[in-house]
Amino acid sequence: MNTRMKPTAILENDITPQGSDYDVVRRAIEKISLDYRDQPSLEVLAEEVGETPTGLQKLFTRWAGLSPKAFLQAVTLDHARRLLDSGMPLLETSFEVGMSGPGRLHDLFVTHEAMSPGDYKTRGAGLTIRYGYHISPFGIALIMVTDRGLAGLAFCDAGGERAAFADMSGRWPNATYVEDMSATQAYAARVFDPTKWRADQPLRVVMIGTDFQLRVWEALLRIPMGRACTYSSIAASIGAPSASRAVGAAVGANPMSFVVPCHRALGKSGALTGYHWGLTRKRAILGWEAGQVGS
């Protein structure tokens, strides 16, 4: 399908991949999130999601390298506060793209370029964006690429494909959208497979946004896995210390979830605050990353 979209894109086909562990993980995370003060047992969690305790233990370990109990510990407020404490003053430290440093041993390496403000103002005119849906550790991933690299990554659950596509294509409504999973497959395989994260072969990313958004997204790229930063510290790092609210809006508008790690932006208290693709998914990503760092 190759359709010129004016003024908004329309998804003609729903492609719903099958075979992910995430549906069971999501329901377990929701139970953990609601009842974390009661520290739900493995047996309670297993009953909630229709698994045996042994089956749920194996599923979580396969998914993130963490047991359900360890995952529960990784999504507590106290743990989030430790991520913030260990990361300060993180953004004042030089973590150059493609270079190793503390906390980068398990991280996805990215090399990025930005489209000019003029390109952004055209709302994607003259730009061809290829897209496809793929299984990921965090549900269905909608991946969008240009000939210059990855441009968008969104998440949804089964049945949410159209909404995710409308959200993403609405950002660049004058672009031409081509459904092409052969073009996006390599990105899906690379982004979600830590064995393919290599400093000498960084992932190519192209950012399409305002100048302020680009500065915020670049700051997010400097936060290593296993760390977190507050909105206010991000604002200070880009020379706009009074712009925490605007930083929050730019974080929420990030078109490349997971790759540009907006999930590592937390409130001052360590609270997860908002996440464009849902707080359950934000907890899932942070817990999954805890497993990667721990391994």
Side-chain angles (χ1 to χ4, degrees):
M1 180 184 71
N2 188 340
T3 306
R4 186 71 175 176
M5 312 295 183
K6 291 184 177 181
T8 57
I10 300 172
L11 176 64
E12 293 186 358
N13 299 311
D14 280 332
I15 301 175
T16 305
Q18 301 294 327
S20 172
D21 290 334
Y22 182 69
D23 183 58
V24 174
V25 169
R26 174 181 56 80
R27 287 184 283 133
I29 291 171
E30 288 172 350
K31 178 68 173 176
I32 289 171
S33 301
L34 289 171
D35 300 338
Y36 74 93
R37 290 184 180 84
D38 297 330
Q39 298 283 298
S41 66
L42 178 62
E43 290 72 22
V44 169
L45 289 174
E47 182 178 2
E48 179 75 16
V49 301
E51 291 277 346
T52 65
T54 299
L56 184 61
Q57 181 93 3
K58 288 181 177 178
L59 187 150
F60 257 84
T61 302
R62 178 173 68 245
W63 174 70
L66 289 175
S67 68
K69 180 179 180 180
F71 181 87
L72 185 146
Q73 294 170 342
V75 298
T76 62
L77 183 61
D78 285 345
H79 178 77
R81 286 170 175 158
R82 287 194 295 274
L83 294 183
L84 289 172
D85 289 341
S86 67
M88 294 301 184
L90 179 64
L91 291 179
E92 285 70 35
T93 303
S94 177
F95 285 96
E96 296 297 335
V97 174
M99 299 294 289
S100 296
R104 286 293 185 191
L105 297 178
H106 302 277
D107 218 344
L108 175 64
F109 293 90
V110 170
T111 180
H112 68 278
E113 61 177 298
M115 289 197 166
S116 70
D119 290 329
Y120 174 73
K121 288 179 181 178
T122 67
R123 308 296 300 281
L127 186 67
T128 296
I129 297 178
R130 300 179 184 276
Y131 68 92
Y133 293 90
H134 302 270
I135 286 295
S136 85
F138 316 111
I140 298 168
L142 167 59
I143 293 179
M144 293 182 160
V145 303
T146 72
D147 58 1
R148 295 162 68 178
L150 180 71
L153 197 164
F155 291 113
C156 65
D157 298 319
E161 296 87 358
R162 290 185 181 276
F165 185 81
D167 177 88
M168 294 296 288
S169 60
R171 300 164 190 243
W172 315 296
N174 296 326
T176 296
Y177 290 85
V178 179
E179 187 177 308
D180 187 355
M181 288 185 66
S182 63
T184 55
Q185 176 60 48
Y187 286 90
R190 174 73 178 283
V191 167
F192 299 113
D193 184 354
T195 65
K196 298 180 179 179
W197 296 356
R198 295 177 53 180
D200 61 340
Q201 295 181 7
L203 179 72
R204 289 191 305 127
V205 165
V206 58
M207 296 180 174
I208 310 172
T210 67
D211 178 68
F212 184 83
Q213 287 173 332
L214 294 173
R215 288 159 60 200
V216 171
W217 300 340
E218 287 167 351
L220 292 173
L221 281 172
R222 294 197 295 270
I223 308 174
M225 182 182 291
R227 303 286 188 90
C229 276
T230 63
Y231 297 104
S232 58
S233 66
I234 294 171
S237 77
I238 64 171
S242 62
S244 294
R245 188 181 297 272
V247 164
V251 169
N254 168 33
M256 278 178 281
S257 183
F258 186 74
V259 171
V260 177
C262 51
H263 56 276
R264 297 178 193 159
L266 306 179
K268 282 187 177 181
S269 68
L272 297 191
T273 62
Y275 187 61
H276 190 74
W277 307 108
L279 286 181
T280 293
R281 191 166 274 110
K282 185 170 185 174
R283 288 187 178 93
I285 295 173
L286 289 171
W288 185 88
E289 288 189 341
Q292 301 305 310
V293 172
S295 66

